Amino acid sequence: KQEVTQIPAALSVPEGENLVLNCSFTDSAIYNLQWFRQDPGKGLTSLLLIQSSQREQTSGRLNASLDKSSGRSTLYIAASQPGDSATYLCAVRSYHNDMRFGAGTRLTVKP
Amino acid sequence: EPEVTQTPSHQVTQMGQEVILRCVPISNHLYFYWYRQILGQKVEFLVSFYNNEISEKSEIFDDQFSVERPDGSNFTLKIRSTKLEDSAMYFCASSEEDATNEKLFFGSGTQLSVL
């Protein structure tokens, strides 16, 4: 059974800092991994999708990497801004399960 | 930008009552999903729907739950007899192709409170 873990659970950084969010998963037989952003009371916004054959994806200040063999992904946020404050969720679509989510990292970027 | 729309945003119901949560997926999408998030817990998969039938469902999606696409635009989740533990945020999602290849687009959710 796929288990997805995100570390840290919460992170607070000053504006302008670069930061890394971590996601690990137990079953490496995956189709893809997706990073989402969730604002309070809102839905999930897809940030980046990495297929199992890919090692990274970039969108603006965001870069996500995938190491399937070790069951890890990172989301790198460059030059963080207060508007980046949200909960970031990692979700894995594996061969044997539906999409499984991590518990999220709650990010606060202080002005 | 096209988006997934969910109504209502909040629903309060009495235990044992039936509720229907409504969703309008993105118009050219073919795959539809329901997820839920109990307060303080992870987002959990409920069911996926393609070509007018359920393609996958989780152990949460028992006989009290059903889904329907009554017309070309709406996708509904019905809970037949609500329980206290059904209180959660329910998210609808859609994708153009199967989620093994495509991003999922989520709605803003319906907050269901069962009293």
Side-chain angles (χ1 to χ4, degrees):
Chain A
K1 181 182 169 183
Q2 181 72 272
E3 295 289 341
V4 182
T5 304
Q6 290 188 245
I7 294 172
L11 181 64
S12 181
V13 300
E15 182 177 3
E17 196 160 294
N18 302 325
L19 57 100
V20 174
L21 309 180
N22 297 289
C23 172
S24 61
F25 48 95
T26 53
D27 183 353
S28 61
I30 67 169
Y31 288 115
N32 60 51
L33 182 145
Q34 197 164 347
W35 282 93
F36 293 89
R37 169 186 173 135
Q38 185 176 27
D39 293 282
K42 299 283 180 64
L44 283 67
T45 301
S46 179
L47 299 173
L48 291 163
L49 171 73
I50 311 178
Q51 300 291 356
S52 62
S53 58
Q54 298 174 323
R55 294 196 64 85
E56 67 177 333
Q57 283 286 328
T58 298
S59 175
R61 294 181 294 108
L62 304 179
N63 176 277
S65 69
L66 174 64
D67 184 342
K68 198 174 67 164
S69 60
S70 67
R72 290 187 294 191
S73 175
T74 61
L75 179 67
Y76 174 82
I77 303 177
S80 57
Q81 303 169 358
D84 294 331
S85 297
T87 296
Y88 290 80
L89 300 175
C90 163
V92 176
R93 171 73 182 195
S94 54
Y95 295 168
H96 311 299
N97 298 107
D98 45 82
M99 183 178 280
R100 295 290 167 103
F101 282 78
T105 294
R106 191 172 65 254
L107 174 66
T108 304
V109 181
K110 296 176 287 189
Chain B
E1 186 175 320
E3 58 182 24
V4 176
T5 306
Q6 289 186 246
T7 55
S9 56
H10 292 85
Q11 174 93 46
V12 181
T13 190
Q14 295 291 324
M15 189 171 59
Q17 295 295 305
E18 175 183 287
V19 294
I20 298 176
L21 309 183
R22 302 181 191 278
C23 170
V24 179
I26 295 173
S27 61
N28 64 329
H29 285 188
L30 301 177
Y31 293 79
F32 314 114
Y33 310 84
W34 283 101
Y35 287 79
R36 79 173 185 190
Q37 186 176 31
I38 295 170
L39 186 64
Q41 298 187 22
K42 293 182 179 183
V43 175
E44 301 172 290
F45 169 77
L46 293 178
V47 65
S48 60
F49 191 87
Y50 169 70
N51 201 25
N52 283 319
E53 59 184 29
I54 291 173
S55 45
E56 275 184 275
K57 60 181 181 179
S58 71
E59 60 273 11
I60 302 168
F61 194 88
D62 61 23
D63 292 345
Q64 292 299 312
F65 291 88
S66 62
V67 290
E68 193 178 27
R69 188 153 163 83
D71 53 44
S73 59
N74 291 285
F75 179 51
T76 62
L77 174 69
K78 182 193 291 186
I79 308 175
R80 213 176 324 276
S81 177
T82 50
K83 303 187 283 284
L84 295 176
E85 54 265 38
D86 293 328
S87 296
M89 179 74 88
Y90 287 80
F91 293 108
C92 174
S94 69
S95 63
E96 193 170 349
E97 294 181 24
D98 189 278
T100 55
N101 293 315
E102 288 286 314
K103 283 185 183 181
L104 253 56
F105 292 84
F106 281 77
S108 304
T110 293
Q111 180 66 57
L112 176 65
S113 297
V114 182
L115 306 178

